[in-house]
Amino acid sequence: MKVVNLKQAILQAWKERWSDYQWAINMKKFFPKGATWDILNLAEALLEQAMIGPSPNPLILSYLKYAISSQMVSYSSVLTAISKFDDFSRDLCVQALLDIMDMFCDRLSCHGKAEECIGLCRALLSALHWLLRCTAASAERLREGLEAGTPAAGEKQLAMCLLRLEKTLSSTKNRALLHIAKLEEASSWTAIEHSLLKLGEILASLSNPQLRSQAEQCGTLIRSIPTMLAVHSEQLHKTGYPTVHAVVLLEGTMNLTGETQPLVEQLMMVKRMQHIPTPLFVLEIWKACFVGLIESPEGTEELKWTAFTFLKIPQVLVKLKKYCHGDKDFTEDVSCAFEFLLKLTPLLDKADQRCNCDCTKFLLQECSKQGLLSEASVTNLLAKRAADREHAPQLKSGENANIQPNPGLILRAEPTVTNILKTMDADHSKSPEGLLGVLGHMLSGKSLDLLLAAAAATGKLKSFARKFINLNEFTTHGNEELAKAASVRALLFDISFLMLCHVAQTYGSEVILSESSTGAQVPFFETWMQTCMPEEGKILNPDHPCFWPDSTKVESLVALLNNSSEMKLVQMKWHEACLSISAAILEILNAWENGVLAFESIQKITDNIKGKVCSLAVCAVAWLVAHVRMLGLDEREKSLQMIRQLAGPLYSENTLQFYNERVVIMSSILEHMCADVLQQTATQIKFPSTGVDTMPYWNLLPPKRPIKEVLTDIFAKVLEKGWVDSRSIHIFDTLLHMGGVYWFCNNLIKELLKETRKEHTLRAVELLYSIFCLDMQQVTLVLLGHILPGLLTDSSKWHSLMDPPGTALAKLAVWCALSSYSSHKGQASSRQKKRHREDIEDYVSLFPLDDMQPSKLMRLLSSNEEDANILSSPTDRSMSSSLSASQLHTVNMRDPLNRVLANLFLLISSILGSRTAGPHTQFVQWFMEECVDCLEQGSRGSILQFMPFTTVSELVKVSAMSSPKVVLAITDLSLSLGRQVAAKAIAAL
């Protein structure tokens, strides 16, 4: 008997009343191999025939159930066929379809090609839409039945529909497949949302609370599908977060001038990675600020910390507000953080004692001004602190009565900065005397440091410096001037020069440098600073052409210094004098060495140099410092003596205005310039003291101890204490300079791997991450490009990767990778720009990623033919084992960090695919788990885009990673290929 088509075969089976297995045997005879049952649409044909009458045909339905059980038809074809039925008035038919869904809706799977798995996602989405429409129709009938007084039938069907909905949605695997389908077909998802709204409206009018709550539960599950990856539990069992503490301390100690945005992003990254609740996060920021205030050395550092705490951190919180949920919530969180802070009474009392004021009050007022706290909260918090302060230990009134509190001074200095900037914008030639009055005011007491700290904390220091450079440039030429105008011009030149040197030494020379515009003339001060000014880590050549200007100018300057009783001021070109002084000093030194000049003449010359303008002395000492470095031990005496002569002030009636104030700044500048050379030559020079240590963080390393010992000691102390203090940060920074990035990182990782207690390793990770923030980019390249591959590929080191240190190292590696990757698109902070780059090796030759010269690791992996066929569909098979989302996004592979990440993930892929397991395999699992844990929803373009697609199917074989959420998290769902890979992996679970 020959059967023409599927429909005839089904009808014949029905007429002859074949049993289900008989039907299956005959069907296979009728339709020889070749076309699959899905291509022939068997499921749809069976349903079409079964649903012809008012009630379903039980025999044909039994054929369909047999086909499902024996896997003749795929789940996706059955779901698609069911979703085409839309006559919801036929109760028995609907019931039969719901029973069929019941057979498999909570255990869907597909082991075919990637396209078939995507088909299953789409079919499930259609089935969900059908279920919602069916539920809405049942609810509508129930509502009509209630009005007519016959509710029973409708209620039963609605309960059945809701039960199937709940069963389908309660499976995480199904929700993950729906998540992929939503990205594949946005329009179908919109239809589902509409159906959900419609169902909600109908159910609102029903009185049965059980059905309503069941429907609400289903609605919540559906709405949670798009945000499946966003749910992270916050750490509520911890109260201290050393990483936040250290990041804030590092920024306050070393980078006051940095922009707020990179700091905000770094803090948010830490908050996300460690899942810190917002109130505790804000509390930790305040705690770090108060600790910084208390332990900051007296003088400039103390003022910097005050500006950081009271001016910069409120600005940082304003930006954090945009990242953290809504306005109202954030103000409540800030208020809550202050409530916690007020409980730390000893900390607040100590800060109040140090600053001689109620610090909390100033902070609350600033936060209120920035809209971070409501008036009611401020009043309430102020009252609580006032009550606490009554019991605080008080200083004797005489000791602190005359000390003005720094917080108040800093807050007043901030508007003054704006006014000074406006004053400096005026035409200097109109009223130079008025301008000199303003500058003279700035020099008195600690005004200059206060103003600079306020400008640095509010991001105005660069424009402040620019204005002084322009003023300095204006004063370099004097045309046909009288004596008074000449002295005003000399003072304006001197004060602006000294201020700029002071800014460069206190806040870093980047603040001074202008954005290089081609063709524009570089101002004198910038030229001098870049070529002639000694700085930490900068070695100057005393024979550099910049020190040797026109010889006639040098001769006239030597004559002027030697013969005149004092410096002339009228029509003096100060910038030329500053550039000629080095050559003049060499002439004078030679004359002294050869006995042509006596010591009395030298004294007269040095008095002339520093008598009117201090900047000449600064320029002279700058050259002498470079010169002394080049001399032998027995040749240095006279040069050092000359530095001594220039460093002391001149006691004379005949000095220009503000001489004492200028000498104070000059002494501080010279002390900074000479520090290195004096240490190297074991010489002491007494600089006029201001009563405070001008270089509190200089020369912190203990003498005659190997730096490795110093590093392990300081790390052990920090680990024991549980937090990093400012002094330790400076020691770590010095060691990083001295030992280099590889040495520094490698030795600290060795210390981490020695730890055996879980709580110690976790604390060590939090502290190491914050220490690595000293130069996160370079440390990450070393850690991921050298140290980790070394540990993972050398079997003799695998034992060190056991738990707990292995878990801790995986966590640290992910944190560093995520931080560097998220920030390396932006600019390096000024703190990191300062560091001399010693790139360990050229990352391009180390990790070549272009096709012309694949690295050894790449060759090893691409030759693995088995891996290339893992995905087994036409699109999959063409995929090499190294194809990753980053290549489809065309990420720049010339970038060292991208290169290192790509190679690390290739190594991970090969470890997962290899036949030997061990601690290194376990390490890879922890690494991937941490990646998933730190991932935020929608962060496509994260480090996981460098993972080859083939790794997904390998990872799913690891029991701890075989969950649908993990698969969604590690694949790039914005790409069609990424969705296919994810659907295939999830459908096979």
Side-chain angles (χ1 to χ4, degrees):
M1 164 199 118
K2 190 171 186 317
V3 175
V4 180
N5 62 20
L6 205 53
K7 189 175 171 183
Q8 282 178 323
I10 294 166
L11 286 173
Q12 186 183 345
W14 174 68
K15 278 178 197 163
E16 296 178 14
R17 297 290 186 273
W18 294 346
S19 64
D20 46 16
Y21 68 88
Q22 226 177 342
W23 165 81
I25 293 165
N26 290 333
M27 288 297 275
K28 284 171 186 167
K29 284 180 191 163
F30 294 156
F31 297 92
K33 276 184 182 171
T36 65
W37 298 113
D38 277 0
I39 291 172
L40 296 169
N41 273 342
L42 176 61
E44 198 176 319
L46 284 168
L47 268 185
E48 205 178 292
Q49 293 304 315
M51 298 294 163
I52 287 173
S55 65
N57 183 321
L59 186 63
I60 297 179
L61 276 186
S62 74
Y63 298 159
L64 177 60
K65 287 176 182 171
Y66 187 87
I68 294 168
S69 304
S70 59
Q71 294 185 355
M72 280 173 73
V73 289
S74 66
Y75 294 134
S76 54
S77 66
V78 178
L79 288 171
T80 309
I82 291 175
S83 60
K84 288 180 180 168
F85 181 83
D86 54 6
D87 186 357
F88 298 118
S89 60
R90 292 195 275 164
D91 287 0
L92 294 169
C93 291
V94 168
Q95 206 171 318
L97 293 175
L98 290 173
D99 286 343
I100 288 171
M101 276 191 84
D102 229 11
M103 291 173 65
F104 58 82
C105 69
D106 56 346
R107 49 186 179 82
L108 291 175
S109 62
C110 173
H111 297 276
K113 296 174 184 170
E115 292 89 337
E116 290 169 26
C117 300
I118 284 285
L120 177 61
C121 297
R122 289 184 167 139
L124 185 58
L125 192 65
S126 308
L128 176 65
H129 191 205
W130 179 82
L131 270 174
L132 284 172
R133 280 165 40 228
C134 182
T135 311
S138 308
E140 188 66 61
R141 282 181 58 202
L142 174 57
R143 189 166 67 178
E144 287 164 8
L146 284 171
E147 287 162 13
T150 55
E155 199 164 306
K156 186 186 171 198
Q157 188 161 324
L158 177 59
M160 284 175 71
C161 289
L162 287 171
L163 191 68
R164 299 318 182 280
L165 254 180
E166 206 172 4
K167 194 173 176 183
T168 307
L169 292 166
S170 57
S171 150
T172 312
K173 179 176 175 177
N174 286 359
R175 293 203 303 280
L177 294 171
L178 287 166
H179 183 89
I180 296 170
K182 171 198 168 283
L183 297 170
E184 280 284 320
E185 295 184 3
S187 55
S188 304
W189 187 257
T190 314
I192 281 182
E193 286 174 332
H194 285 312
S195 301
L196 202 54
L197 284 173
K198 188 180 164 193
L199 178 60
E201 285 163 18
I202 300 169
L203 287 169
S205 59
L206 296 183
S207 57
N208 186 326
Q210 192 185 347
L211 290 176
R212 264 169 61 184
S213 78
Q214 209 175 352
E216 277 164 22
Q217 214 173 337
C218 294
T220 309
L221 283 170
I222 292 172
R223 287 188 201 95
S224 74
I225 289 169
T227 56
M228 274 186 82
L229 298 178
V231 188
H232 274 306
S233 57
E234 293 189 324
Q235 283 198 15
L236 294 172
H237 59 282
K238 278 182 72 172
T239 50
Y241 297 93
T243 313
V244 178
H245 190 101
V247 166
V248 174
L249 268 177
L250 182 70
E251 199 73 12
T253 311
M254 294 188 144
N255 199 24
L256 180 63
T257 50
E259 288 174 29
T260 51
Q261 192 56 35
L263 172 61
V264 169
E265 284 169 11
Q266 192 179 16
L267 283 169
M268 277 311 293
M269 174 65 76
V270 173
K271 182 179 187 299
R272 274 196 303 268
M273 291 190 306
Q274 299 189 15
H275 313 311
I276 307 174
T278 310
L280 294 178
F281 174 63
V282 177
L283 169 69
E284 200 63 52
I285 293 174
W286 288 134
K287 270 163 61 178
C289 288
F290 277 106
V291 170
L293 270 178
I294 292 163
E295 67 172 24
S296 58
E298 206 180 326
T300 315
E301 288 299 318
E302 189 183 350
L303 294 179
K304 280 183 176 182
W305 259 108
T306 313
F308 180 72
T309 304
F310 294 93
L311 292 175
K312 190 168 184 175
I313 288 294
Q315 292 295 330
V316 167
L317 288 181
V318 169
K319 289 198 171 176
L320 282 172
K321 185 178 181 176
K322 292 172 189 162
Y323 285 81
C324 302
H325 27 268
D327 280 10
K328 186 170 174 291
D329 289 350
F330 192 71
T331 49
E332 281 172 16
D333 287 338
V334 172
S335 177
C336 183
F338 270 111
E339 292 275 1
F340 290 144
L341 185 66
L342 291 186
K343 293 194 173 100
L344 305 173
T345 317
L347 179 74
L348 300 185
D349 288 348
K350 190 111 185 188
D352 287 0
Q353 217 170 16
R354 174 76 201 263
C355 299
N356 189 30
C357 66
D358 184 352
C359 293
T360 320
K361 181 176 155 190
F362 280 116
L363 260 191
L364 289 168
Q365 286 166 351
E366 275 306 294
C367 289
S368 176
K369 250 191 256 175
Q370 302 290 354
L372 294 165
L373 283 171
S374 64
E375 283 299 319
S377 294
V378 172
T379 317
N380 170 32
L381 293 162
L382 280 173
K384 283 187 180 174
R385 180 64 189 143
D388 277 352
R389 268 176 68 84
E390 286 175 15
H391 309 294
Q394 294 295 320
L395 279 174
K396 295 187 197 78
S397 55
E399 280 180 42
N400 61 354
N402 304 323
I403 305 171
Q404 277 193 292
N406 283 336
L409 292 172
I410 279 284
L411 293 170
R412 285 210 297 282
E414 195 236 346
T416 315
V417 169
T418 316
N419 295 336
I420 289 173
L421 288 175
K422 282 182 194 158
T423 311
M424 301 282 291
D425 276 335
D427 185 353
H428 303 317
S429 57
K430 295 241 173 89
S431 73
E433 289 89 348
L435 182 58
L436 184 58
V438 172
L439 297 189
H441 253 313
M442 284 174 66
L443 294 180
S444 61
K446 56 182 179 185
S447 300
L448 179 60
D449 282 330
L450 270 168
L451 291 165
L452 292 179
T458 50
K460 294 181 186 141
L461 191 59
K462 213 164 175 61
S463 57
F464 205 77
R466 196 88 321 253
K467 301 272 192 291
F468 278 102
I469 282 179
N470 295 342
L471 170 64
N472 186 265
E473 201 63 11
F474 162 76
T475 55
T476 49
H477 300 283
N479 301 321
E480 298 173 18
E481 59 186 356
L482 300 169
K484 188 177 179 199
S487 70
V488 169
R489 186 172 66 83
L491 278 169
L492 288 176
F493 175 84
D494 199 36
I495 291 172
S496 57
F497 187 94
L498 292 172
M499 278 188 180
L500 288 164
C501 284
H502 183 60
V503 168
Q505 286 180 341
T506 314
Y507 294 100
S509 48
E510 314 73 39
V511 180
I512 307 284
L513 299 176
S514 54
E515 273 65 47
S516 52
S517 51
T518 46
Q521 191 182 353
V522 181
F524 152 71
F525 184 81
E526 275 191 52
T527 312
W528 180 82
M529 186 186 77
Q530 284 181 286
T531 48
C532 311
M533 181 171 162
E535 283 182 279
E536 190 187 355
K538 179 164 123 185
I539 304 296
L540 296 173
N541 172 10
D543 301 329
H544 190 279
C546 71
F547 290 117
W548 306 108
D550 182 359
S551 58
T552 52
K553 289 176 186 169
V554 176
E555 281 165 25
S556 60
L557 180 62
V558 171
L560 182 68
L561 292 171
N562 194 22
N563 302 330
S564 317
S565 56
E566 59 181 50
M567 280 298 272
K568 73 161 193 158
L569 302 176
V570 180
Q571 291 189 6
M572 183 73 176
K573 292 184 175 174
W574 292 111
H575 64 299
E576 287 184 1
C578 283
L579 290 171
S580 309
I581 192 82
S582 45
I585 289 282
L586 183 64
E587 294 277 319
I588 293 159
L589 262 178
N590 286 338
W592 188 18
E593 297 270 357
N594 296 317
V596 177
L597 286 176
F599 182 63
E600 289 71 30
S601 310
I602 298 297
Q603 270 184 314
K604 181 184 140 192
I605 290 170
T606 52
D607 285 353
N608 266 343
I609 292 175
K610 67 190 178 188
K612 295 291 184 192
V613 292
C614 300
S615 10
L616 273 181
V618 171
C619 295
V621 171
W623 179 80
L624 279 166
V625 163
H627 180 64
V628 168
R629 281 178 187 277
M630 303 297 164
L631 299 176
L633 269 173
D634 51 340
E635 301 169 321
R636 293 171 176 168
E637 182 49 42
K638 287 196 163 51
S639 300
L640 290 168
Q641 193 138 357
M642 195 172 259
I643 293 179
R644 249 188 220 103
Q645 289 296 318
L646 289 166
L650 177 69
Y651 300 103
S652 156
E653 299 289 310
N654 201 8
T655 51
L656 292 177
Q657 255 178 305
F658 312 119
Y659 185 67
N660 291 339
E661 288 87 345
R662 286 182 289 135
V663 164
V664 168
I665 300 179
M666 176 186 84
S667 302
S668 152
I669 293 166
L670 297 186
E671 192 174 347
H672 276 83
M673 279 183 175
C674 301
D676 275 353
V677 89
L678 293 182
Q679 187 190 23
Q680 286 159 12
T681 55
T683 313
Q684 284 189 325
I685 291 183
K686 187 112 180 75
F687 291 94
S689 171
T690 51
V692 247
D693 182 1
T694 50
M695 301 177 65
Y697 291 124
W698 187 75
N699 195 17
L700 293 173
L701 295 188
K704 296 181 182 175
R705 276 194 73 194
I707 54 173
K708 188 177 175 192
E709 265 181 43
V710 179
L711 181 69
T712 50
D713 272 13
I714 191 82
F715 181 65
K717 279 178 191 157
V718 162
L719 189 58
E720 193 182 339
K721 204 161 40 170
W723 54 280
V724 187
D725 57 288
S726 315
R727 193 170 178 280
S728 308
I729 286 175
H730 279 273
I731 293 175
F732 281 123
D733 193 47
T734 312
L735 291 168
L736 177 55
H737 270 283
M738 281 182 134
V741 185
Y742 180 80
W743 173 87
F744 184 76
C745 184
N746 192 32
N747 282 309
L748 284 174
I749 295 298
K750 281 180 187 168
E751 290 307 302
L752 170 66
L753 293 176
K754 283 179 197 168
E755 289 300 330
T756 51
R757 289 177 58 182
K758 192 168 185 178
E759 60 273 28
H760 276 192
T761 55
L762 284 173
R763 190 195 293 175
V765 167
E766 293 180 330
L767 292 168
L768 279 175
Y769 171 81
S770 49
I771 293 164
F772 288 169
C773 286
L774 284 165
D775 197 348
M776 186 55 86
Q777 292 291 325
Q778 292 293 308
V779 167
T780 306
L781 289 176
V782 165
L783 178 60
L784 305 185
H786 293 262
I787 295 170
L788 277 191
L791 288 168
L792 290 170
T793 51
D794 182 351
S795 55
S796 65
K797 292 179 184 165
W798 286 351
H799 67 278
S800 64
L801 296 175
M802 305 281 269
D803 192 31
T807 328
L809 179 58
K811 193 183 277 285
L812 180 64
V814 172
W815 286 5
C816 291
L818 285 173
S819 298
S820 291
Y821 191 73
S822 68
S823 67
H824 92 299
K825 297 165 217 167
Q827 292 303 307
S829 75
S830 59
R831 186 181 71 242
Q832 290 168 0
K833 276 186 213 156
K834 258 183 262 182
R835 175 155 299 111
H836 164 64
R837 286 267 164 267
E838 28 88 36
D839 284 335
I840 312 1
E841 283 181 53
D842 173 10
Y843 282 89
V844 176
S845 60
L846 187 67
F847 298 135
L849 278 174
D850 51 347
D851 297 330
M852 300 307 290
Q853 42 161 165
S855 67
K856 186 178 174 189
L857 181 60
M858 291 282 270
R859 284 199 303 276
L860 182 89
L861 291 169
S862 1
S863 67
N864 188 343
E865 283 307 311
E866 294 170 359
D867 281 1
N869 298 324
I870 286 173
L871 285 155
S872 74
S873 80
T875 52
D876 303 333
R877 205 171 286 118
S878 62
M879 238 166 71
S880 84
S881 60
S882 64
L883 180 65
S884 67
S886 60
Q887 282 151 285
L888 300 179
H889 286 306
T890 58
V891 168
N892 170 24
M893 277 304 174
R894 300 214 74 73
D895 180 284
L897 182 63
N898 294 349
R899 189 173 287 276
V900 162
L901 282 166
N903 274 279
L904 179 66
F905 277 107
L906 280 172
L907 178 58
I908 283 174
S909 188
S910 78
I911 287 171
L912 286 167
S914 75
R915 290 179 175 82
T916 49
H920 63 309
T921 326
Q922 183 75 56
F923 177 86
V924 165
Q925 181 193 317
W926 291 324
F927 184 89
M928 295 306 297
E929 278 175 1
E930 191 59 33
C931 282
V932 173
D933 194 42
C934 293
L935 207 72
E936 49 173 324
Q937 170 67 3
S939 65
R940 299 290 151 245
S942 85
I943 59 169
L944 285 169
Q945 65 176 330
F946 295 98
M947 182 182 73
F949 285 119
T950 50
T951 311
V952 178
S953 51
E954 290 294 336
L955 257 182
V956 176
K957 295 173 189 171
V958 180
S959 59
M961 303 297 280
S962 61
S963 91
K965 275 193 182 180
V966 168
V967 176
L968 288 182
I970 60 177
T971 41
D972 188 339
L973 300 176
S974 62
L975 293 171
S976 169
L977 188 54
R979 292 195 290 274
Q980 286 183 28
V981 168
K984 184 171 166 52
I986 293 170
L989 286 175

